[in-house]
Amino acid sequence: MKKKKKTVTKAQLDELKHLRNHLTPQLSIDNKINTLIQISQVLRTINLTSTFSSNISTEFTGLEVFGERYNNFPKITSVIDDAIVYYDEQLNSFSQSS
C-alpha cells in the first residue's frame, strides 16, 4: 500500500509566512519563543517528521536554554525560510497537477 504524500495547504503556508515576517531579531526573547512555538506547531501540523520541524525544535531548545545569549538566530530564520520555499514549491506543483 502506497503512502499518501502529505501536502501543505495554502492556509498553513500563509500562516507560516505571516509568523516568519513577525519573527525579527528585535523581538524580545519571550516574543521570539512565543512565535517559535506557533511556527513549530504549524510545521508539525504540516509534517510531524519533517527535517524543518526537527531543526526548529532543536534551535528552540537552544533559545530557551541560552535566552538573550543565544546567537544562532540566523539559523532559525534560515530553517523557516527554507521550509517556506519548499512548501511553496510543493503547493504550486500540487495545484498545477490538479
Side-chain angles (χ1 to χ4, degrees):
M1 190 169 175
K2 191 174 183 180
K3 235 184 177 181
K4 187 179 177 189
K5 185 177 179 182
K6 288 187 176 188
T7 57
V8 64
T9 66
K10 181 168 178 3
Q12 290 168 324
L13 185 58
D14 288 346
E15 184 176 4
L16 191 58
K17 287 177 180 179
H18 169 75
L19 290 167
R20 170 57 185 97
N21 288 336
H22 182 70
L23 189 63
T24 64
Q26 294 76 27
L27 283 178
S28 71
I29 193 70
D30 289 339
N31 283 336
K32 284 178 186 173
I33 289 173
N34 288 335
T35 303
L36 270 179
I37 289 170
Q38 293 174 53
I39 288 170
S40 180
Q41 288 171 338
V42 172
L43 288 173
R44 282 186 276 142
T45 300
I46 295 169
N47 186 346
L48 181 63
T49 60
S50 76
T51 302
F52 303 120
S53 181
S54 174
N55 288 347
I56 285 297
S57 293
T58 301
E59 296 304 321
F60 177 74
T61 301
L63 185 62
E64 278 189 314
V65 170
F66 294 106
E68 293 295 339
R69 296 174 315 195
Y70 179 79
N71 62 0
N72 212 11
F73 190 73
K75 170 72 174 171
I76 290 174
T77 55
S78 174
V79 168
I80 299 164
D81 291 342
D82 290 348
I84 289 170
V85 168
Y86 176 82
Y87 290 126
D88 200 26
E89 289 173 358
Q90 183 187 66
L91 188 63
N92 286 335
S93 69
F94 181 73
S95 62
Q96 288 175 359
S97 66
S98 301

